[in-house]
Amino acid sequence: MISVTGRRHALQSLGIGLTVGVATMANQSSVAHAAEAASLLPEGARSLRELTTRLSAAPRRRRFKTVPMILTDVDQWDHEALSEVLAYQPPTKQAWDMTDMAGPWLNLMRNALNAQIWSFRHPDFLVVAECHGTAQLALYDPAMWDKYQLGQLTGGKFKSNALLLPQPAESVDPRDFENPAGPLSPADNAI
């Protein structure tokens, strides 16, 4: 991995990596579950499948009581997962900077994924979101929303984190990528 010394770039990279690590792993409890989720990967996405497996195996740090404002030690974040994302080699990848949970970011990311994978034939395309502001609330599970009443921070737009809930479109065959109610459609704009 190439070391980046610029503070801004390092913080952006950290945010992107943490977001993709959290988003990728939010609902996955084991490598076996990741293998089930791999059915959504397009045919020929060997590098992306390998990345998913490595991210599934990477340790997670979730027992912090507090953290400093500026993280200075790799034990303060999911360093292994971030390193995997930063080292991802296929040339087609895209990072999004999101600030509003209610914004169109999931739809835009899904559109980018569909275009890159199906139109441009880049099955190993990786898209990640660096979430700030209320967009970061999309990464917290229902227990956190309840405990800290996070819905209040959304100005009433969200009472709970519906973006992490299973969607009916998930049960539709992902090979039918043109299905307007399938997992590659707006019907499954979820993390």
Side-chain angles (χ1 to χ4, degrees):
M1 183 168 97
I2 298 171
S3 178
V4 178
T5 56
R7 179 179 177 199
R8 182 179 199 80
H9 191 277
L11 289 174
Q12 287 174 335
S13 297
L14 173 64
I16 291 168
L18 289 176
T19 299
V20 79
V22 170
T24 301
M25 302 313 303
N27 291 321
Q28 296 179 354
S29 60
S30 68
V31 174
H33 186 68
E36 291 173 22
S39 65
L40 285 174
L41 294 175
E43 187 175 323
R46 195 184 103 234
S47 295
L48 193 56
R49 187 175 314 277
E50 291 168 359
L51 174 65
T52 302
T53 300
R54 289 192 308 272
L55 287 173
S56 296
R60 298 291 184 264
R61 294 166 183 86
R62 298 289 180 269
R63 301 203 188 284
F64 297 113
K65 298 290 184 195
T66 63
V67 293
M69 183 177 80
I70 298 173
L71 306 179
T72 58
D73 187 276
V74 296
D75 289 333
Q76 296 169 331
W77 66 83
D78 291 340
H79 172 70
E80 294 83 356
L82 174 60
S83 295
E84 290 292 349
V85 171
L86 293 175
Y88 189 65
Q89 290 301 311
T92 52
K93 43 192 164 185
Q94 190 172 40
W96 296 75
D97 188 31
M98 306 306 166
T99 58
D100 183 7
M101 184 173 173
W105 59 290
L106 285 174
N107 190 51
L108 295 170
M109 290 175 70
R110 181 189 45 76
N111 282 339
L113 276 168
N114 286 345
Q116 287 292 330
I117 293 168
W118 304 109
S119 301
F120 302 127
R121 307 282 191 252
H122 298 139
D124 285 312
F125 178 70
L126 176 67
V127 62
V128 296
E130 181 175 1
C131 297
H132 305 282
T134 60
Q136 71 179 324
L137 300 177
L139 304 176
Y140 297 117
D141 65 19
M144 296 301 281
W145 273 68
D146 293 342
K147 181 177 180 178
Y148 297 107
Q149 301 174 355
L150 297 178
Q152 294 176 4
L153 299 176
T154 69
K157 294 178 183 175
F158 291 87
K159 292 182 179 168
S160 65
N161 185 4
L163 300 177
L164 276 183
L165 298 176
Q167 304 295 313
E170 291 176 20
S171 63
V172 177
D173 185 355
R175 292 175 295 188
D176 184 8
F177 59 87
E178 295 285 358
N179 188 331
L184 305 177
S185 75
D188 194 19
N189 275 349
I191 296 174

